[in-house]
Amino acid sequence: MFTFATAGRLLVGAGAAEGVAEVVASFGPGVLVVAGGSADAAALAGAGDVDVVRHRGEPTVDDVRAVVARARELRPDVVVGWGGGSVVDIAKAAAALAPSDGDVLDHLEVVGAGRPLPPAALPVVAVPTTAGTGAEVTANAPVRVPERGVKASLRGPTLLPAVAVVDPVLTLGCPPGVTAASGADALTQCLEAFTTPQATPLTDPLAREGLRRAGRSLVRAHADGDDLDARTDMSLAALLSGMALANARLGAVHGLAAALGGRLGAPHGEVCAAVLAATTDANVRALRRGDPDGEALRRYAEAAGVLTGRPGARAEDAVAWLRDTVAALRIRGLGDLGLADADVAEVARDALAASSTRGNPVVLTGDEMEDVLRASL
C-alpha cells in the first residue's frame, strides 16, 4: 500500500503566472505575500489587499517566527510564496502555524518537539521563480537552526499548497549560480526518489521523467539562461522531483545536506551538488559488495541509462556523469563552502541521524559518510 498527495491544483507552462492575481483573489481579499528579493509581486496588484514581506536566503527559526507573527497580525485569507524554494517554504510554514499560537520549535523534527502541525492552515499559492526544490508540491518546510548547526523540517499534509503555479518564464532571470544550485537539487531529488526503497509505482515515472529532463537541460540552462526550452525542462524537473520526494523518500545526499546546511549556511542545492557524486559512488560501491543483483543497483543502472542516453549503462556510469555535470556547473567543494576537515566526523554523525538518510537504498557506515565528506572537500 502507498499514498500519493500533491498540491490541490497545478497551473503549469509558459505564461501560467499571468493568471495568478485571479487565482489569489478567489480565496478572499486579504493577501500576505512572502516574496524573494527580486520577485515582481506587482502582478498581484488586483488580487485584493496585498501585504508584501521580503525574504532572502535559507530560512532560520527566527525568520519563520517573524513571518508567522505578521500573518497572525494580518489574518489574511491566503498566503502567497513568490520566489525561490526557501521563500515558498517560509510561506508554507507561516500559513501552517499562523492559525494557532504555537512556536515553530513545537513542531520541528529532530531538534524540536516534533508535534503534529495544527489541523487547519491558511491556503497557500506557491509561485516558484527558480527550478529546484519543488517546494510548490511538497509537504515539508526545511528550517535552519543556527544554534544547533543543523537544518530540520516542519512536516505534515497541511504544508501542501492549495495551488502551485509553475511558469518557466519566471526563471529566465536566474543567474548561472542559482540555476546550477537549484537545478542540481532537482536532479538529486529525482535520483534519490527513484532509488529509495520507498519508491512507488506512481513516483517512479515522475522521478524518471525528471531525470530525463534534467539530464538533457541542466547544463544548457546554466550555459544559456534565456533558453526557454531548457528552462521549461528544468521547471518540470523540479516539479516532478517535488511530487516524487513528497510521496517516496530521499537519501544520504539530503541527510548530509541537512547536517551541512545549518552549519555552513550555504545554498541547499549547492551543498547537495557538492556531495552528490561521492555519495552516489559510496552507495553503488556498498551495493556492489552487499547486494550486487538487487533492485537498488538495477535502479542506479536505469538512472545511468536515462542520464547518459546509453541503454546499456552501468550504475558506475551514473557516478561519472554526475561528476562531469557538477564540474560543468562549477559547483564549489565543501572546503570552499566552509567545511573544515576537523568537523567531518561530527557532520557525518549528524547526517546519519537525519531523517532523509533513512530513505537511502543502503546503510552507510560512519566511516563511509566521512569518506564522502572528505572526497567532497
Side-chain angles (χ1 to χ4, degrees):
M1 290 185 62
F2 58 88
T3 62
F4 189 91
T6 191
R9 182 182 174 203
L10 304 176
L11 281 70
V12 184
E18 295 171 8
V20 169
E22 182 179 353
V23 169
V24 171
S26 69
F27 291 96
V31 183
L32 173 61
V33 181
V34 185
S38 60
D40 183 12
L44 296 173
D49 185 9
V50 179
D51 189 271
V52 179
V53 175
R54 294 282 176 179
H55 174 77
R56 287 181 179 273
E58 304 270 335
T60 65
V61 169
D62 285 341
D63 291 330
V64 174
R65 286 177 177 141
V67 181
V68 169
R70 187 64 174 150
R72 287 172 177 165
E73 175 189 351
L74 292 174
R75 298 186 178 182
D77 297 296
V78 61
V79 179
V80 179
W82 187 303
S86 293
V87 168
V88 173
D89 282 329
I90 203 170
K92 289 159 51 179
L97 295 172
S100 72
D101 58 2
D103 182 67
V104 58
L105 286 177
D106 294 336
H107 307 283
L108 202 63
E109 64 184 18
V110 182
V111 294
R115 298 194 195 102
L117 288 166
L122 298 172
V124 172
V125 176
V127 189
T129 59
T130 60
T133 68
E136 64 273 15
V137 287
T138 62
N140 70 297
V143 181
R144 284 182 60 218
V145 189
E147 61 271 21
R148 296 290 296 274
V150 297
K151 182 188 290 187
S153 284
L154 297 168
R155 201 178 299 275
T158 58
L159 289 169
L160 281 168
V163 183
V165 182
V166 181
D167 187 342
V169 173
L170 298 180
T171 71
L172 292 175
C174 281
V178 175
T179 299
S182 58
D185 189 25
L187 171 67
T188 301
Q189 291 173 171
C190 287
L191 181 61
E192 291 199 307
F194 189 63
T195 55
T196 179
Q198 281 74 44
T200 78
L202 286 182
T203 61
D204 280 348
L206 301 174
R208 189 182 293 112
E209 179 66 7
L211 284 172
R212 186 178 74 85
R213 289 179 180 271
R216 75 185 183 189
S217 292
L218 174 51
V219 173
R220 282 173 51 204
H222 176 255
D224 180 5
D226 293 325
D227 185 336
L228 185 57
D229 287 340
R231 291 290 193 183
T232 298
D233 266 353
M234 291 312 303
S235 287
L236 285 170
L239 174 65
L240 293 164
S241 78
M243 295 171 75
L245 78 87
N247 294 282
R249 289 294 293 269
L250 291 169
V253 173
H254 274 80
L256 287 162
L260 290 161
R263 182 182 298 270
L264 303 180
H268 169 74
E270 191 168 16
V271 174
C272 287
V275 300
L276 176 56
T279 306
T280 305
D281 186 35
N283 284 345
V284 169
R285 288 174 182 272
L287 289 166
R288 284 273 180 230
R289 291 193 304 269
D291 192 16
D293 299 316
E295 174 68 7
L297 207 54
R298 185 200 68 76
R299 283 175 175 264
Y300 274 118
E302 183 178 352
V306 172
L307 292 171
T308 65
R310 300 198 303 272
R314 302 173 74 243
E316 287 79 4
D317 295 321
V319 177
W321 187 93
L322 292 170
R323 284 202 178 104
D324 291 344
T325 298
V326 167
L329 296 174
R330 303 188 191 96
I331 297 294
R332 294 176 291 174
L334 293 180
D336 291 331
L337 293 176
L339 181 67
D341 186 77
D343 296 327
V344 163
E346 185 177 354
V347 172
R349 285 195 299 272
D350 288 344
L352 286 172
S355 60
S356 290
T357 303
R358 293 197 289 271
N360 207 52
V362 62
V363 176
L364 297 177
T365 67
D367 287 344
E368 287 172 321
M369 291 292 251
E370 290 185 31
D371 288 344
V372 166
L373 289 164
R374 290 195 172 94
S376 305
L377 284 171

